[in-house]
Amino acid sequence: MRFSKQREAVYNVLCQTTSHPDVAWIYARTREIIPNISIATVYRNLQELLSIGKIKKLSAEGYAERYDANVSDHAHLVCSCCGKIVDIDMSQVDVKHSIAGVDRYEITFYGCCDECRNNKDASQNKQ
Amino acid sequence: MRFSKQREAVYNVLCQTTSHPDVAWIYARTREIIPNISIATVYRNLQELLSIGKIKKLSAEGYAERYDANVSDHAHLVCSCCGKIVDIDMSQVDVKHSIAGVDRYEITFYGCCDECRNNKDASQNKQ
DNA sequence: CTCTCTGCAAATTATTTGCATGATA
DNA sequence: TATCATGCAAATAATTTGCAGAGAG
């Protein structure tokens, strides 16, 4: 694989966020760096980066496919209040199983993120 | 919501399989029952059934959205050999976590299903 | 110089919607 | 008979592909 500034731009954009963005967002941000980059190039480079393991793709039930430059082992919390996807360190999670043939797993939590819970508490205290 | 044979057919098709099919498959099978059913009706009924909780939608990284009539709490194993998605009973899984605000989680295992592992063993024994 | 990568536009594929008609309660 | 659901076709969204030319090594 050859070096191309387009591929680097796509990768850097993804590295600079923890928001697990979708293709449209990545495309918009990358255009700020390379104004004439094409959406096809963004798709192609995301596939490339995925195939060499530099990024991950993630599917959260009911949301569009999103991408993540954090390839370390971690879980996600999908916030049902604000829709955000928050990284969860595996030190907070303990999974045991007795299933043969498994080499890895993905775990996604659904609930309310810290931020939203804090906002709720704040508004309750006012009353 | 009213009774319609189209909705019943979509639901029955999904109940009669554990293969977590995608919309195209569900549509094809439903046409065997109601030959002139439209794909739009299939989509609309899947949404309906989803919203009343009679079915689940599942996203496995890199695969199209699939549907499942098994709404009980269970996990999935995505087989990296044959692509099949196999149900895993939660009695085989133990998850502990210290994350606030969580009300449920989805866990997906990746690896090789029983069937594929058996086939591998069989072909090794031959040699 | 060679071969990969790009931009563009067109082609696919997936999903949703508008609307007149048909079916259910 | 009052709605709700359907089929059809067209609209929209998401993703992929073909191809001629540009860029990397």
Side-chain angles (χ1 to χ4, degrees):
Chain A
M1 195 196 301
R2 290 186 179 168
F3 170 90
S4 88
K5 56 179 185 176
Q6 285 87 346
R7 183 166 307 137
E8 199 185 23
V10 168
Y11 182 61
N12 286 341
V13 159
L14 203 47
C15 284
Q16 281 155 26
T17 182
T18 58
S19 72
H20 316 87
D22 59 18
V23 175
W25 190 94
I26 298 168
Y27 177 52
R29 283 322 224 76
T30 311
R31 287 203 84 125
E32 292 169 10
I33 304 167
I34 304 174
N36 72 326
I37 194 174
S38 135
I39 184 87
T41 299
V42 174
Y43 274 103
R44 275 186 290 231
N45 279 318
L46 287 171
Q47 275 183 338
E48 247 354 87
L49 293 165
L50 209 52
S51 73
I52 61 172
K54 295 206 78 168
I55 65 171
K56 272 185 178 178
K57 192 193 247 188
L58 50 109
S59 328
E61 227 176 68
Y63 295 85
E65 301 268 41
R66 295 167 178 224
Y67 293 85
D68 192 351
N70 178 357
V71 293
S72 73
D73 189 27
H74 65 288
H76 293 111
L77 168 65
V78 178
C79 180
S80 44
C81 311
C82 66
K84 230 183 282 176
I85 300 181
V86 181
D87 284 338
I88 301 287
D89 195 90
M90 288 312 274
S91 66
Q92 291 188 75
V93 184
D94 180 34
V95 175
K96 288 193 175 65
H97 69 84
S98 56
I99 310 156
V102 165
D103 41 59
R104 70 189 182 87
Y105 58 83
E106 296 280 341
I107 183 162
T108 305
F109 296 92
Y110 292 84
C112 193
C113 72
D114 283 351
E115 208 181 311
C116 287
R117 281 185 310 112
N118 287 340
N119 290 342
K120 277 186 194 167
D121 288 352
S123 65
Q124 280 196 336
N125 289 340
K126 270 186 207 157
Q127 287 161 12
Chain B
M1 194 197 303
R2 288 184 182 173
F3 170 90
S4 89
K5 57 179 183 172
Q6 284 87 345
R7 182 167 309 133
E8 198 185 24
V10 168
Y11 182 61
N12 285 341
V13 159
L14 202 47
C15 284
Q16 281 156 25
T17 184
T18 58
S19 72
H20 316 88
D22 59 18
V23 175
W25 191 94
I26 298 168
Y27 177 53
R29 280 328 221 74
T30 311
R31 287 202 84 125
E32 293 170 10
I33 304 167
I34 304 176
N36 72 325
I37 194 174
S38 136
I39 184 84
T41 299
V42 174
Y43 273 103
R44 276 185 290 232
N45 279 317
L46 287 171
Q47 274 182 339
E48 251 349 271
L49 292 165
L50 209 52
S51 74
I52 61 170
K54 294 206 79 170
I55 65 172
K56 271 185 176 178
K57 193 193 247 188
L58 51 109
S59 327
E61 229 175 68
Y63 296 84
E65 302 267 41
R66 294 165 178 228
Y67 293 85
D68 192 351
N70 178 356
V71 294
S72 74
D73 189 26
H74 65 287
H76 292 114
L77 167 65
V78 178
C79 179
S80 46
C81 311
C82 65
K84 231 183 282 175
I85 301 180
V86 181
D87 285 338
I88 300 287
D89 195 273
M90 289 311 275
S91 66
Q92 290 189 73
V93 185
D94 180 35
V95 175
K96 289 194 173 64
H97 69 84
S98 56
I99 310 154
V102 165
D103 41 59
R104 70 191 181 87
Y105 58 83
E106 295 281 341
I107 182 162
T108 305
F109 296 92
Y110 293 84
C112 194
C113 71
D114 283 350
E115 206 182 313
C116 286
R117 280 185 311 111
N118 288 340
N119 290 342
K120 277 186 193 167
D121 288 352
S123 64
Q124 279 196 335
N125 288 342
K126 271 186 209 160
Q127 288 160 11

